[in-house]
Amino acid sequence: MDAREPVSTPFNASSTADEVVRGVDLTGVRAIVTGASSGIGVETARVLAGAGAEVTLAVRDTNAGDGVAEAIARSTGGIRPRVARLDLADRATVTRFADAWGGPLHLLINNAGVVTGGLERTREGWELQFATNHLGHFALANGLHDALALGAADRDGARIVSVSSTAHMRSGIDFDDLHFERRDYDPQLAYAQSKTANSLFAVEATRLWASDGIVANAVNPGGVATGLQRNFTARQKESLDAAEAAGVFTYKTVEQGAATSVVAATAPEFAHSGGHYLDDAREAYIVPNDADLAQHPHGVKEWALDPATAERLWTVSADLLRT
């Protein structure tokens, strides 16, 4: 698919987010981090704020968000992050959030995610993981496009970071049954589909918006123990344990897990280059769709970067949000 060498950086799997921003001045940068009330979202927001950025925590639970904002302000000595409510599974709150945003936006970190143990649906009947992880972020980014374009104009570029996962290697996009209306529900496949969608979003957003100075990249934070696993079924936990035992991943600290997001958000290598999938703080190598995950734990499957699939998913997603 792509014969060029993957984009490298000075960082690696053991790098921390603090190391990535060492010497970086983000004064004047306005950033949004979704899901910034726990896990790598908190660390991503803390590091950006510590480097001088004006950060907004976009969270479902604003009380939890307020606690995080206070902790960040104390630990960094910088500006207290703003807290705003955002429920990615609720289109009305996504619209309100985007409509309420004023002025430029330079960094949109689409970090929030959900894992379910069984089939759950939104009020529209959409499968919850796909609706939250992909469609909610898709709607948010589109609603904030003009703000990102303003940000790009006043700082020579704006960036979107789309948090994906190694799980993308388990499933492409099933356009015939996106919401598991006919096939048996498998929460792991549903999550995998949503993570492939996160990567494809970065591909098409860059194609459509690069002329506006906006680029998007997908990132795999690696294995990090966070609240995301709280809804795992016994089968999901067993699968995770088996993957760890097979060497598919080794657990990272939260500080290491946030590093790849911060690379995509701040590293000069990705200032004007998008549509990539990053793993361990650098661009991943591409593997065939039939590649074995255990043999290629740091690869990205072709289906997660395919331009035609990305364009189709964008069209389907836009159509869904118009219904």
Side-chain angles (χ1 to χ4, degrees):
M1 239 185 107
D2 195 340
R4 65 177 176 78
E5 284 295 312
V7 179
S8 188
T9 75
F11 309 106
N12 55 43
S14 63
S15 299
T16 66
D18 274 323
E19 291 169 345
V20 173
V21 296
R22 189 169 294 154
V24 175
D25 183 3
L26 297 180
T27 302
V29 169
R30 304 181 77 205
I32 293 170
V33 183
T34 70
S37 59
S38 64
I40 66 171
V42 173
E43 180 65 5
T44 302
R46 183 192 69 78
V47 168
L48 295 177
E54 177 191 318
V55 178
T56 294
L57 313 180
V59 297
R60 283 187 300 172
D61 183 345
T62 54
N63 289 329
D66 283 331
V68 170
E70 291 293 342
I72 289 175
R74 287 194 304 270
S75 68
T76 66
I79 301 171
R80 181 188 187 276
R82 174 175 168 261
V83 179
R85 186 169 186 274
L86 176 69
D87 182 348
L88 291 162
D90 183 339
R91 282 194 285 176
T93 74
V94 175
T95 299
R96 282 197 295 272
F97 182 98
D99 288 349
W101 186 267
L105 173 63
H106 307 99
L107 294 175
L108 173 59
I109 316 296
N110 287 337
N111 165 82
V114 65
V115 172
T116 65
L119 178 59
E120 297 182 46
R121 297 194 182 277
T122 66
R123 67 187 62 182
E124 295 88 356
W126 301 336
E127 191 276 320
L128 185 63
Q129 295 186 87
F130 186 79
T132 302
N133 301 345
H134 168 62
L135 289 174
H137 280 129
F138 176 85
L140 179 66
N142 276 275
L144 292 168
H145 168 269
D146 291 350
L148 286 161
L150 282 175
D154 75 10
R155 290 192 70 91
D156 189 31
R159 309 191 203 189
I160 302 172
V161 179
S162 184
V163 177
S164 183
S165 167
T166 302
H168 86 273
M169 296 186 77
R170 297 180 184 275
S171 176
I173 305 295
D174 187 339
F175 287 103
D176 294 325
D177 193 14
L178 281 174
H179 300 292
F180 289 84
E181 294 168 320
R182 291 177 294 281
R183 51 184 166 150
D184 291 340
Y185 188 70
D186 182 332
Q188 291 176 293
L189 284 182
Y191 181 71
Q193 177 178 247
S194 76
K195 294 291 102 178
T196 293
N198 290 151
S199 181
L200 290 168
F201 165 81
V203 172
E204 184 66 1
T206 298
R207 187 186 75 83
L208 292 173
W209 296 346
S211 60
D212 298 321
I214 305 164
V215 296
N217 285 297
V219 304
N220 170 31
V224 184
T226 69
L228 193 64
Q229 293 92 23
R230 64 182 173 273
N231 294 322
F232 273 20
T233 63
R235 178 171 171 245
Q236 286 169 305
K237 291 175 183 175
E238 289 169 3
S239 177
L240 190 66
D241 291 343
E244 183 186 11
V248 171
F249 73 93
T250 55
Y251 276 104
K252 293 183 177 183
T253 66
V254 170
E255 293 81 6
Q256 292 168 333
T260 304
S261 292
V262 177
V263 164
T266 66
E269 291 85 356
F270 298 100
H272 304 290
S273 184
H276 308 300
Y277 176 99
L278 282 63
D279 181 280
D280 285 348
R282 56 192 63 188
E283 186 182 9
Y285 62 93
I286 300 171
V287 300
N289 291 335
D290 61 356
D292 186 276
L293 172 59
Q295 299 300 316
H296 298 281
H298 301 290
V300 54
K301 285 200 173 178
E302 292 178 337
W303 63 38
L305 294 174
D306 179 64
T309 307
E311 184 175 3
R312 183 181 180 188
L313 179 62
W314 191 283
T315 300
V316 168
S317 301
D319 288 345
L320 278 170
L321 291 168
R322 279 194 287 267
T323 59

